Amino acid sequence: MTSRSFKGSRSNLASAMDGADSQYSRPPLPPTVTFARKTSSGRYTNLSRDDLDSEIGSTDFQNYTVHIPPTPDNQPMDQIDASISQKVEEQYVSNSLFTGGYNSVTRAHLMDKVIESEASHPQMAGAKGSSCAIPGCDGKVMSDERGMDILPCECDFKICRDCYLDAMKTGDGICPGCKEPYKAAEMEEVIMDSSRPLPLPPPAGMSKMERRLSLMKSTKSVLMRSQTGDFDHNRWLFETKGTYGYGNAIWPKEGSFVDGKDEEEIDPSALSNKPWRPLTRKLKIPAAVLSPYRLLIFVRMVALAFFLTWRVKHPNTDAVWLWGMSVVCEIWFAFSWLLDQLPKLCPVNRATDLNVLKEKFETPGPNNATGKSDLPGIDVFVSTADPEKEPPLVTANTILSILAADYPVEKLSCYVSDDGGALLTFEAMAEAASFANIWVPFCRKHDIEPRNPETYFNLKRDPYKNKVRPDFVKDRRRVKREYDEFKVRINGLPDSIRRRSDAFHAREEIKAMKLQRQNRDDELGEPVKIPKATWMADGTHWPGTWINPSSEHSRGDHAGIIQVMLKPPSDEPLHGTADDGNVIDFTDIDIRLPLLVYVSREKRPGYDHNKKAGAMNALVRASAIMSNGPFILNLDCDHYIYNSQAMREGMCFMMDRGGDRICYVQFPQRFEGIDPSDRYANHNTVFFDVNMRALDGLQGPVYVGTGCLFRRIALYGFDPPRSKEHQPGCCDYCFSRRKKNASVANHPEENRALRMGDSDDEEMNLSLFPKKFGNSVLLVDSIPVAEFQGRPLADHPAVKNGRPPGALTIPRDLLDASTVAEAISVISCWYEDKTEWGHRVGWIYGSVTEDVVTGYRMHNRGWKSVYCVTKRDAFRGTAPINLTDRLHQVLRWATGSVEIFFSRNNALLASSKMKLLQRIAYLNVGIYPFTSIFLIVYCFLPALSLFSGQFIVQTLNVTFLAYLLIITVTLCMLAVLEIRWSGIELEEWWRNEQFWLIGGTSAHLAAVLQGLLKVVAGIEISFTLTSKSAGDDVDDEFADLYTVKWTSLMIPPLTIIMVNMIAIAVGFSRTIYSTLPQWSKLLGGVFFSFWVLAHLYPFAKGLMGRRGRTPTIVFVWAGLMAIIISLLYVAINPSTDSSSIGGSFQFP
């Protein structure tokens, strides 16, 4: 393995950033000329004056430039060489592992192989290539998109690009193999693809980002002549290989277009003046359901107001303490219900039209003659941290579903964040990239759904339904065999890495012992101790975390790593042939794969790495430099794409009229592997199908951490376009009218977002960006490009802030080593120092629920979000079905909500740009854990009532029962109507109610205590990852459901169960043996006790386990609680009469 250093990284030029203000105000200096030679490994070797004297026979040097504009018929040789150089550079980048970080040099390690098996796809890292035949040269022979060697001479002498250029310049164009002269024309024919013209050379001094933005800002079609504005027929013919004849999508004829199939003449202006069709539409809830729903909410609000008033005015004088506690709890429950119910007043449903999306962005027309996709790019983020709790096979299946998604290949990029820096994850991703060579074309050929191989091959339905191709059965059988072998390789990676590391370590120890003997003249000394490293497949040290941690190679201390697993695909489709050597015939199937990048950010002791939020921000910066997709889709490692067109569905909202004000599109979370009864409400359908649909009718749903399509510019902290046109709502007249003149000055710092221009003429002030985004020039340059590319299509006068059609058909720049080196610098641990990353830019730090806070900040700036529910689930994932894991998951969410309540992100401090009902929804997010305090008290009230012989009211009169009946009936009717407009089932609603009480009496209370400890004492909260691995019982997929893992969170609900059961027994005993039994109070207490026990039934069932596996500690706690309660009752209320049990209870 070889490596090279990048000492001149652009991000290290601190002096350039310090003078940013003057940099943007002064005209750029003329570029200086430096003579250099670029080697095959990507290094630049400066030539001295002596070297130049041999070629330039004069000692007087004068710089001059002769510019001959290139034409389609005349392409200069220098430009051909530049194209070759870029392709070779990209091939070098894909075969190199880039490492670097704080106080270390960025290095590119050229790897002979990434995994033990051979890489076959030409895009994959470590793909086998021929070596240069020139003695002493370690360069690789140039290859085309199919991985075939490019040999410039008829003798097929293998030569790299640098040696070929040397032979052309210094060797008089003589081939080193056959000693015959090269023919430049033949080399051009081999290298150049006539299907597309070469790009024009960039103006001097322009960066790649500036050149790309200048090309896309053209408001006229590239096929229109600049002088007349007419359609350029000649250029259309040249660029599309078109001919005047039948079969063309658009056929120009005498100033008009003709459809080659229907022979109907179409005026060019008619194509641009076709009726505008929206990409999305809003489906309103039927008035027959929504109107009664709103009416019932109002009726219940009035009933609650009258009921609470009656309760306050009619105390129970016999048990004031019991009455007081119940009234306080009931007032809080009414307030909590209002916070939850008011945002549900305006639910909506939405639908998309994928046919219109295809027609607008992928159909040939005047602005896009070739029909090349005009959709913007998407960068998909997949995060993982621990290969033990997040199995690599699960992550690999998620990666494969992304690579096979139905989205333009050249517009899709996938970034895998490995926050643990584990070699196991690295090699598993490499194996997934290798298997994608057969899996992705197979999905495209046979239209496979879902495109997760594990799920697809385990489907219980008929896999041959609607399949008509005769070779499908054979292809499926072969791919299934390949996938089985792939799974075995993934499962064997831990042992393979361990055996390999042991073998290399033994070899190193032997070498060290031999060296020690030579230095000490065979004298016996102390044995040499060598750190036991983890070794990669090419026989070098893994720069990340080692199996046996050591200095600079542990989970919290390792260098930053970037590996391009799959290099960017070619701009044109690459169809398979029968000669490719694949096990399946992929003739006429596009075999390209999207860009796949492995990223492990640098970690060092003493730095706060901010958990998942810090990892996501590192991906945002690295992707901005490498691909800069204007949209970002983030997925957890266990959430895969179930609907291959999910990204197109989300893009319909972003590209529709007004879509430039949408910050993200949130998809619902759907889960697999849940028990049929959904004992612990893992599907959470009430939240995803009721609450989120309701928020969609306001300012938009909250961000829930995964399955979310972001607008990159919104993550950067910018205000939405046309934010100055904000129309005040009903709440604004109450909160901000009096402070209208000083609103900007009085807003807190986090509300003053970076402003974008409200029109194309108002440019963004780039000189201030380095202070906010860091000192990376490439990152700063990418911001306006991402903003422009993310705009909707300006195909209608009503579309504001749009971009011209056809602007995104330009191929993206090839990756070079300096670009990846820059990406290494922005994922270093020091990059975020003195910047606004995590504070106003990117994912927000300071909470374990960084997702909610990030979405809140966007809504607080005036952005809108959209909820996209597709007919076929967009994404599917896994959820913990074990009771303990589920409680810990809920604990993490609730603790984050408590942190939000005690932070600046409290909705009470929201800006005037947030709607009133949206503010109430966010307020409920921060307040709901505090309901646990009142809920626990209320769950003990029935038991206290039975123990004391009293009730929360003086007597069970008709007024109390009427109020109780009205409140209960209206609640049930609201539930029925919610079921009607949301589509959920009654059982799912009931499971949600049950787990609301289970979580409220366990995890929510612990969250409140932990949040208060953090606020008062400053004690930080740490959580472990939720395990995504399945149970050990292979015969029962729900075996983990019956596994009981004791946790302290189970103590409060277990205590409530025992107390209420004992209280029921005591109440019945006292009433039966009493001389004057009070059956009304007994029935009231027993009714509410059964209400509590019915809600806690899933918890009690979970504690029982299966087949007598209940832990002993459960019986110990149950018996202990029974004894304590019995002794406490006897001590407080001893028996004074032999004819009765107990008497009146006196509160101590």
Side-chain angles (χ1 to χ4, degrees), residues 305-353:
F306 280 106
F307 172 71
L308 294 176
T309 303
W310 182 86
R311 290 278 285 122
V312 172
K313 292 182 177 180
H314 296 79
N316 184 359
T317 56
D318 295 336
V320 177
W321 57 273
L322 191 63
W323 166 84
M325 288 191 296
S326 63
V327 169
V328 171
C329 293
E330 288 164 0
I331 293 175
W332 179 267
F333 292 152
F335 172 68
S336 177
W337 177 82
L338 279 177
L339 293 181
D340 180 69
Q341 198 68 43
L342 286 179
K344 299 179 182 178
L345 290 173
C346 306
V348 296
N349 291 323
R350 300 182 187 271
T352 60
D353 195 334

Side-chain angles (χ1 to χ4, degrees), residues 748-965:
E749 178 64 24
E750 59 266 22
N751 290 338
R752 300 182 196 166
L754 302 170
R755 287 198 179 277
M756 290 192 302
D758 290 340
S759 65
D760 293 339
D761 298 329
E762 184 178 351
E763 297 292 336
M764 292 179 285
N765 190 0
L766 299 180
S767 61
L768 300 178
F769 284 9
K771 299 178 182 178
K772 303 177 183 297
F773 299 97
N775 59 355
S776 172
V777 178
L778 280 182
L779 178 60
V780 171
D781 289 344
S782 70
I783 294 174
V785 179
E787 189 275 332
F788 178 82
Q789 292 182 347
R791 296 180 183 180
L793 211 60
D795 58 349
H796 191 273
V799 177
K800 299 180 180 179
N801 196 39
R803 59 173 172 85
L808 301 188
T809 58
I810 304 172
R812 62 181 173 186
D813 298 311
L814 300 177
L815 278 180
D816 55 15
S818 62
T819 301
V820 184
E822 184 79 1
I824 281 288
S825 68
V826 299
I827 65 171
S828 59
C829 57
W830 55 266
Y831 185 83
E832 294 183 354
D833 292 347
K834 298 180 181 179
T835 66
E836 296 189 358
W837 284 100
H839 303 286
R840 292 176 56 207
V841 178
W843 270 258
I844 306 302
Y845 302 153
S847 174
V848 295
T849 53
E850 72 288 333
D851 45 5
V852 177
V853 178
T854 302
Y856 166 80
R857 290 291 185 90
M858 295 181 187
H859 286 142
N860 203 29
R861 294 187 180 100
W863 289 94
K864 296 181 180 179
S865 59
V866 168
Y867 196 53
C868 181
V869 181
T870 57
K871 292 182 179 180
R872 179 183 177 86
D873 294 344
F875 309 99
R876 283 193 178 182
T878 59
I881 61 175
N882 180 264
L883 176 60
T884 303
D885 294 338
R886 175 71 165 138
L887 290 178
H888 281 289
Q889 184 186 56
V890 174
L891 172 63
R892 183 172 67 253
W893 296 343
T895 304
S897 296
V898 175
E899 291 176 337
I900 292 172
F901 182 78
F902 288 111
S903 69
R904 298 178 181 177
N905 300 308
N906 192 315
L908 294 174
L909 306 176
S911 70
S912 60
K913 296 180 180 180
M914 183 176 291
K915 295 182 179 181
L916 175 62
L917 294 181
Q918 188 79 16
R919 188 183 307 210
I920 292 176
Y922 273 112
L923 182 62
N924 186 43
V925 170
I927 282 182
Y928 82 88
F930 294 95
T931 305
S932 61
I933 300 174
F934 304 92
L935 187 60
I936 288 181
V937 173
Y938 209 72
C939 287
F940 279 111
L941 288 183
L944 295 177
S945 175
L946 291 172
F947 283 136
S948 63
Q950 301 295 332
F951 196 54
I952 58 177
V953 294
Q954 189 78 29
T955 58
L956 291 176
N957 54 22
V958 178
T959 305
F960 175 77
L961 294 177
Y963 278 127
L964 189 62
L965 181 63

Side-chain angles (χ1 to χ4, degrees), residues 435-453:
F435 178 68
N437 182 33
I438 183 175
W439 172 251
V440 174
F442 168 72
C443 292
R444 293 171 182 164
K445 179 179 179 180
H446 298 289
D447 194 19
I448 300 299
E449 292 287 354
R451 299 189 176 182
N452 176 334

